[in-house]
Amino acid sequence: MKNLCLLLLFILGSSLYAQKTERIEPPFWYVGMENNQLELLIYGKDISQFTPSVDNKIIQILDIKKTENKNYLFLNLDLSKAISGKFNINFSKKGKRNNFSVAYELKERNKDSKLREGFNSSDVIYLITPDRFANGDVTNDVVKTMNEKIVDRKDDYGRHGGDIKGITNHLDYIDEMGFTAIWPTPVLTNDMKESSYHGYAMTDFYQVDPRFGTMEDYSVLAKSAKNKGMKLIMDQVANHIGIEHWWMKDLPTNDWVNYQDEYLKNNIVITNHRRTTNQDSYASIKDKNLMSEGWFVSTMPDLNQRNPLLARYLIQNSIWWIETLDLGGIRQDTYPYPNKQFMSDWAGAIMKEYPNFSIVGEEWSTNPLLVGYWQQGVKNKDGYESNLSSTMDFPMQKSIVDALNESESWDKGFVKMYEGLANDFSYANPSKIMIFPDNHDMDRIFTQLKENMVNTKMALGYMLALPRIPQLYYGAEILMQNTAKPGDHGLIRTDFPGGWSGDNSNAFTGEGLAVTQLEMQSFLKKVLNYRKNSEAIHSGKTIHFAPENGVYVLFRIKNDEVVAVILNKNDKPISLNLNRFEEVGLKGKQVVNMITGEVFIFENNLKISSKGVLLFTTKI
């Protein structure tokens, strides 16, 4: 009996010992970073009662911060002389039996990590909602420890079972289509009770959602994509978390989330969504504060980036993922909502570590002045410098859709595209702005264009030739639509056919697709694969001519390569006078139709038999 009691005491003691630290974040770090300091968040019951130290002479603790919550410690380490390997963090307090140590690892960075190149105008990005793309591992569809346990493909707002392996399994398709980068919506743990499939209410910043796969799956996706010459872009959210985030069960400080006191009294304060307060010199302080500090929705607590501990946590988290997955870019959600000075610091810290990296921020505004405000290099009157390389071109997207849906007149139709592109004079760097026909929050482009395939081709052909970074949402290539329920996010994010065993059609192989779907897929495949190697489109000069008689023409030019985009709204055959475009230097030269392969001499007149887009190039 005595031995049994001793054994139980030993097991109990070991259990208590193991539970001293429940989390240390980041879980590991890297040596040789530009910023040689590291902040560790250490979480465990009564951990602040312990005094931490390290058993490594070349690693110093610069600062130890305790908060109002005794279950947290924040350690600031000096790694300026550190080398890769493991070292112990020792925790001690009175009574040696309470002392314990935790091993922490510093890893070597990937070779030339600092020099990594982000996405740019030579890329075309394939945006994917992982839950709706392909189910590569049915064994992770349901995880019993998660709040949302049901998979139901008939429920537009439920989980459908798509995962990271589903993307990896179809990288060949994505590559062969001509895409050069992939942007999956968030795949980190989102343990919300409903609608967890979309990923934007994260509940753990360092863990892959087990229903999407494992950290190993994520790493395999990144490596496999890189082996095919494709970049992986990570979708991140610095503005908010999900209400089920582990922090919300034991908040680190009294100001970790905005309106924290109100939340604890069951009074949630929602943002006014007035994003223009970021630029408005007349905006009231009350409106400004409510915009950046109010919660996005009642289930998404708004993070207080003015708290320096949280600010550093978020910056380190982004850098950790860049280094760990060898990322080629970050897309930052709800960019105007967080504290704007923090966002400048966040982007600045990343760009200091990776000067050639790319970050795109979502500013959903159709006003080019508001979009341009956030791009690095613009001379803002208030002196604000965002350090953000790319913004999203909602203004041009709207101009294109409006233009194609309207009949031609002096102030309607193609002139909206023509004048929309003229707004480039206001941007610091137009070629780094991201253009798109649609995304996971918008009606599908085929729906926006009233299921008009000719107009859809015109929109896509034009966008892919612009001095921009194009992004296409999965399914655009097969005319996916949500016409039955405009604005319905669940339907917008429809399952990609062929991603599940037993699907009636398969977009990966073409089996069961309609003729129109195959035609669009073929069209995009030709344009995308041409674009991969087109210096004229990547970085050439842009010249466009004012719309005339229902025709709008744009050229991209670099050295001997000229790409011509001719958009025609005339239903009846026309003859286009090519002499108008003499300044481009194409007269008498051979050009080839990018889609049909037809070759002709660019001079005098071009007979165009029907409405649509023509894409010509001098590269034969």
Side-chain angles (χ1 to χ4, degrees):
M1 179 61 74
K2 182 179 178 182
N3 289 339
L4 179 60
C5 289
L6 288 172
L7 179 62
L8 287 171
L9 285 171
F10 174 77
I11 293 172
L12 181 60
S14 298
S15 176
L16 289 171
Y17 170 89
Q19 292 175 14
K20 292 295 184 185
T21 59
E22 294 181 30
R23 291 174 180 266
I24 297 182
E25 293 177 343
F28 56 84
W29 196 245
Y30 296 89
V31 295
M33 304 299 290
E34 187 73 21
N35 183 345
N36 52 36
Q37 292 187 21
L38 171 66
E39 176 191 275
L40 295 180
L41 178 155
I42 302 172
Y43 178 68
K45 184 171 175 55
D46 297 330
I47 193 67
S48 68
Q49 295 179 11
F50 289 82
T51 300
S53 61
V54 296
D55 63 359
N56 190 312
K57 293 181 181 179
I58 57 177
I59 297 173
Q60 291 185 329
I61 296 179
L62 297 176
D63 191 23
I64 301 169
K65 279 193 166 56
K66 299 180 181 181
T67 72
E68 303 88 353
N69 189 332
K70 61 184 179 181
N71 297 331
Y72 288 86
L73 270 179
F74 291 85
L75 257 60
N76 187 14
L77 303 179
D78 179 1
L79 304 181
S80 58
K81 298 178 182 178
I83 59 175
S84 60
K86 292 184 178 180
F87 66 94
N88 285 333
I89 304 174
N90 305 312
F91 296 86
S92 61
K93 68 176 183 177
K94 290 182 180 178
K96 287 186 177 180
R97 64 186 299 274
N98 293 310
N99 296 350
F100 67 99
S101 299
V102 176
Y104 192 81
E105 186 176 9
L106 297 174
K107 297 186 177 185
E108 290 284 352
R109 300 179 72 181
N110 293 325
K111 185 180 178 183
D112 296 328
S113 177
K114 183 181 180 68
L115 303 178
R116 72 180 63 241
E117 271 202 41
F119 55 84
N120 54 49
S121 57
S122 70
D123 290 304
V124 180
I125 299 163
Y126 196 54
L127 167 60
I128 298 168
T129 299
D131 182 66
R132 307 298 170 85
F133 187 64
N135 191 345
D137 183 359
V138 296
T139 66
N140 63 20
D141 288 358
V142 175
V143 177
K144 292 182 179 179
T145 57
M146 308 294 283
N147 281 317
E148 195 171 10
K149 301 177 176 64
I150 298 172
V151 168
D152 182 1
R153 292 183 66 195
K154 294 180 180 179
D155 181 358
D156 287 344
Y157 288 86
R159 298 193 75 94
H160 291 192
D163 47 36
I164 294 171
K165 280 187 179 177
I167 301 173
T168 306
N169 291 348
H170 296 290
L171 285 177
D172 282 345
Y173 166 81
I174 299 169
D175 178 39
E176 289 166 9
M177 276 298 300
F179 294 99
T180 61
I182 53 173
W183 155 22
T185 55
V187 296
L188 301 189
T189 297
N190 188 333
D191 196 15
M192 300 292 281
K193 293 177 181 177
E194 59 184 12
S195 295
S196 63
Y197 76 95
H198 61 67
Y200 286 100
M202 296 174 203
T203 56
D204 192 316
F205 280 124
Y206 281 100
Q207 183 186 68
V208 174
D209 193 305
R211 293 162 296 189
F212 284 136
T214 63
M215 186 65 190
E216 177 62 21
D217 293 334
Y218 208 178
S219 297
V220 168
L221 171 62
K223 290 173 185 175
S224 300
K226 188 172 184 179
N227 287 340
K228 291 184 177 295
M230 290 191 287
K231 297 161 185 170
L232 176 64
I233 299 167
M234 187 175 185
D235 205 335
Q236 297 187 350
V237 186
N239 181 64
H240 55 261
I241 54 176
I243 197 78
E244 300 294 332
H245 193 290
W246 67 270
W247 283 335
M248 299 305 292
K249 298 168 178 59
D250 195 14
L251 285 159
T253 68
N254 289 343
D255 63 348
W256 200 252
V257 299
N258 287 312
Y259 291 106
Q260 187 164 313
D261 289 342
E262 287 80 358
Y263 159 72
L264 294 173
K265 296 173 185 176
N266 296 315
N267 178 27
I268 294 173
V269 180
I270 303 297
T271 177
N272 55 20
H273 296 284
R274 299 301 180 189
R275 299 185 304 275
T276 54
T277 57
N278 283 296
Q279 297 90 358
D280 186 357
S281 56
Y282 307 127
S284 66
I285 293 174
K286 184 177 180 65
D287 286 345
K288 284 176 178 282
N289 290 346
L290 185 58
M291 162 57 204
S292 65
E293 297 170 21
W295 291 23
F296 197 76
V297 295
S298 61
T299 55
M300 294 179 179
D302 198 75
L303 294 174
N304 177 21
Q305 300 90 6
R306 293 164 297 161
N307 181 309
L309 297 173
L310 175 58
R312 196 160 174 195
Y313 178 98
L314 294 171
I315 290 170
Q316 287 182 171
N317 178 257
S318 294
I319 292 171
W320 187 87
W321 282 110
I322 294 170
E323 202 70 33
T324 300
L325 289 181
D326 200 13
L327 293 177
I330 289 174
R331 181 264 185 179
Q332 183 61 246
D333 189 54
T334 55
Y335 202 86
Y337 284 84
N339 177 272
K340 64 191 279 189
Q341 184 53 53
F342 164 76
M343 294 311 295
S344 174
D345 295 342
W346 171 81
I350 292 171
M351 298 308 291
K352 186 176 181 181
E353 291 287 352
Y354 312 99
N356 303 316
F357 197 64
S358 298
I359 309 168
V360 61
E362 178 200 34
E363 163 59 288
W364 193 325
S365 172
T366 56
N367 183 337
L369 296 178
L370 297 180
V371 171
Y373 176 88
W374 297 104
Q375 191 180 27
Q376 183 180 28
V378 69
K379 297 187 186 305
N380 290 313
K381 287 181 71 175
D382 63 3
Y384 183 73
E385 173 56 77
S386 71
N387 296 309
L388 179 70
S389 59
S390 301
T391 51
M392 290 183 160
D393 203 350
F394 285 93
M396 196 64 204
Q397 192 276 341
K398 184 178 187 302
S399 294
I400 293 169
V401 170
D402 287 349
L404 292 170
N405 279 332
E406 295 173 351
S407 298
E408 289 298 295
S409 67
W410 174 254
D411 60 351
K412 290 183 179 178
F414 283 144
V415 70
K416 290 190 174 178
M417 294 163 69
Y418 178 73
E419 292 183 350
L421 193 59
N423 285 323
D424 278 15
F425 80 89
S426 68
Y427 293 131
N429 194 336
S431 67
K432 288 190 175 183
I433 293 175
M434 187 175 290
I435 187 64
F436 51 92
D438 57 18
N439 61 30
H440 55 295
D441 290 325
M442 304 174 73
D443 285 336
R444 291 278 184 169
I445 186 60
F446 196 45
T447 293
Q448 291 185 56
L449 293 174
K450 303 174 184 178
E451 297 196 11
N452 185 313
M453 180 163 167
V454 173
N455 284 353
T456 304
K457 279 186 178 181
M458 282 202 277
L460 296 175
Y462 179 74
M463 286 184 187
L464 289 169
L466 289 177
R468 292 289 192 276
I469 304 168
Q471 164 254 297
L472 271 65
Y473 193 31
Y474 79 98
E477 71 270 32
I478 55 165
L479 301 172
M480 283 173 64
Q481 46 79 24
N482 63 295
T483 309
K485 296 180 182 178
D488 187 276
H489 284 187
L491 188 57
I492 289 166
R493 304 159 186 172
T494 299
D495 292 349
F496 194 72
W500 281 255
S501 176
D503 282 357
N504 292 328
S505 58
N506 189 330
F508 299 115
T509 64
E511 183 182 356
L513 293 184
V515 173
T516 52
Q517 290 178 303
L518 290 169
E519 183 183 336
M520 178 59 80
Q521 198 174 44
S522 174
F523 171 81
L524 269 178
K525 189 173 184 178
K526 289 176 180 178
V527 178
L528 289 169
N529 277 287
Y530 177 86
R531 192 187 189 283
K532 268 188 180 181
N533 301 302
S534 173
E535 290 297 321
I537 295 178
H538 297 172
S539 57
K541 180 180 179 181
T542 304
I543 299 177
H544 65 162
F545 290 77
E548 201 173 84
N549 301 319
V551 178
Y552 173 36
V553 183
L554 175 141
F555 296 90
R556 301 298 309 281
I557 307 158
K558 187 163 186 182
N559 300 326
D560 293 333
E561 183 191 6
V562 180
V563 173
V565 181
I566 301 174
L567 304 177
N568 171 39
K569 279 193 182 180
N570 293 281
D571 292 316
K572 296 179 180 179
I574 64 167
S575 179
L576 181 65
N577 181 2
L578 300 181
N579 293 321
R580 183 184 176 211
F581 315 116
E582 187 175 357
E583 68 184 83
V584 177
L586 270 182
K587 189 171 184 178
K589 291 185 178 179
Q590 238 184 14
V591 295
V592 62
N593 185 311
M594 208 179 288
I595 307 303
T596 67
E598 178 188 0
V599 178
F600 79 100
I601 303 299
F602 196 94
E603 62 181 356
N604 298 327
N605 296 295
L606 172 65
K607 292 182 179 180
I608 303 177
S609 60
S610 60
K611 177 180 177 180
V613 58
L614 293 171
L615 299 163
F616 295 111
T617 174
T618 54
K619 285 177 71 173
I620 298 177

